[in-house]
Amino acid sequence: MSTTKPRLGGDAPIQAHAAARLDWVRILTWFLRGLALLALGRGLFHWAVICGFQQLDGVEFEQLAPGLQTATVFFAVIELVAGVGLWLTAAWGGVVWILATMVALVIDVSAPMGMQGWVETAGRPPLASAGDVALVLIYIVVATMAARQIDQGSAD
């Protein structure tokens, strides 16, 4: 029996050190998991409003305008669905999350433009809207970089 270790590299060239590169697939996975926790938290907040544990502007769910009730139920369902899809890193999770975010941004933009009724009260603070826009832009960048990494064949 030989006491020498077998060579793993064969005819591979000798390199001083491998270039340290970001693992975009792993970054995307952790980013999606973080978004999932955010979406699940938002969805649970909406369910807390529906179940009466939380109030919107001091008003119980049953006393809200029908449009605001509908929006609350919509976000209660879609945020949880998006959260599950994002946690599983499924493609449909990102699509559902972007859909929910775009609907929220349309409501946020419509509120200061003079839309009367429930839209006026459903609008969120500008900082929340800016945060959503930033998250969507970060998602686009990270997903694009992960896709490029996979196309180059350097993903695990």
Side-chain angles (χ1 to χ4, degrees), residues 24-25 27-28 31 133-149:
W24 287 103
V25 174
I27 292 170
L28 177 64
F31 181 72
V133 169
L135 288 174
V136 169
L137 293 175
I138 292 169
Y139 172 76
I140 290 170
V141 169
V142 173
T144 301
M145 297 304 290
R148 285 184 184 172
Q149 180 180 351

Side-chain angles (χ1 to χ4, degrees), residues 59-75:
V59 180
E60 293 184 11
F61 180 75
E62 292 83 15
Q63 306 304 320
L64 295 174
L68 191 51
Q69 287 179 344
T70 303
T72 302
V73 171
F74 170 77
F75 286 113

